[in-house]
Amino acid sequence: MSRRPLAPPPMNGPRFNEFIQSPKVRVIDHEGENLGVMFTREAMEQAQSVGLDLVEVSPNADPPVAKFLDVGKYKYEAQKKANIARKSQKTQEIKEIKMRPNIDDHDYDTKMKAIHKFLGEGDKVKITLRFRGRELSHGQLGMILLKRVQDDTAEIAKIESYPRMEGRQMLMVISPK
């Protein structure tokens, strides 16, 4: 009866000690000194004599680079770095501003203030022009209005999708530069 070969368990994190598959590794000790290329077994014995684990820090190098570290502490530090990176990243939302083709100047200025605020916060802005009744036959009014919006936001925003008709609405998306 033949046995199945013993496969290492699925790893979530770096390989360490007996899970390192390479026969030789480039070793860096706990003080950061390069000890050179040596057999993995020999390196593991040296790490255990210091009271640390042999952790593979660069598995794609030739030969892989391994370091004398405490595995638990190394995983904890990596998790903390990942959490900080996730907190600092900004998700970009799409804010929507709705207008009509024959919008009054004061209403237009109010909408533009909102657009500038959204762009300042780093969000994309979707400008929707709604046409009702006979306004639909005057599509050029919508294009003129969106061109005006484009000119007013030219220094802080770039056009992501140019004006297009979708049914009874004209849409344009701008994003911060």
Side-chain angles (χ1 to χ4, degrees):
M1 177 152 92
S2 65
R3 296 182 116 191
R4 218 171 39 141
L6 187 67
M11 298 288 288
N12 56 346
R15 289 191 284 252
F16 60 95
N17 292 342
E18 60 273 353
F19 299 116
I20 298 175
Q21 296 166 344
S22 175
K24 287 187 176 182
V25 290
R26 182 176 305 279
V27 180
I28 298 171
D29 71 357
H30 59 285
E31 294 162 355
E33 302 222 5
N34 188 351
L35 301 179
V37 178
M38 58 177 72
F39 289 104
T40 307
R41 284 268 164 241
E42 186 183 329
M44 268 189 337
E45 290 167 6
Q46 282 188 15
Q48 286 171 349
S49 69
V50 182
L52 296 170
D53 300 302
L54 183 69
V55 180
E56 197 174 45
V57 289
S58 180
N60 298 330
D62 187 34
V65 179
K67 211 171 190 180
F68 294 172
L69 296 170
D70 180 11
V71 173
K73 189 174 182 181
Y74 182 74
K75 283 184 179 179
Y76 175 72
E77 294 291 332
Q79 188 179 17
K80 266 177 67 172
K81 281 182 190 174
N83 285 344
I84 289 170
R86 192 172 64 240
K87 280 182 187 174
S88 65
Q89 92 184 162
K90 169 87 171 90
T91 57
Q92 201 174 44
E93 293 182 36
I94 296 182
K95 304 284 186 168
E96 186 174 18
I97 297 287
K98 293 183 179 179
M99 296 186 190
R100 296 281 308 277
N102 55 355
I103 190 169
D104 202 34
D105 286 337
H106 183 265
D107 295 336
Y108 175 80
D109 292 339
T110 305
K111 300 281 187 181
M112 286 309 294
K113 280 183 190 171
I115 289 173
H116 281 278
K117 186 182 101 180
F118 293 151
L119 290 171
E121 293 170 356
D123 295 326
K124 293 180 184 180
V125 180
K126 177 182 174 183
I127 300 157
T128 305
L129 277 182
R130 287 233 168 136
F131 293 94
R132 285 169 45 190
R134 291 186 186 153
E135 291 174 345
L136 200 56
S137 61
H138 299 287
Q140 74 276 10
L141 292 176
M143 287 303 282
I144 291 168
L145 181 62
L146 289 179
K147 180 71 175 144
R148 183 176 166 198
V149 170
Q150 181 181 342
D151 293 341
D152 290 348
T153 60
E155 61 273 353
I156 62 167
K158 62 181 183 283
I159 295 181
E160 196 161 286
S161 83
Y162 286 92
R164 67 183 189 282
M165 285 296 291
E166 280 187 11
R168 292 188 156 271
Q169 339 187 70
M170 189 176 281
L171 304 173
M172 179 171 84
V173 179
I174 55 177
S175 62
K177 278 189 178 174

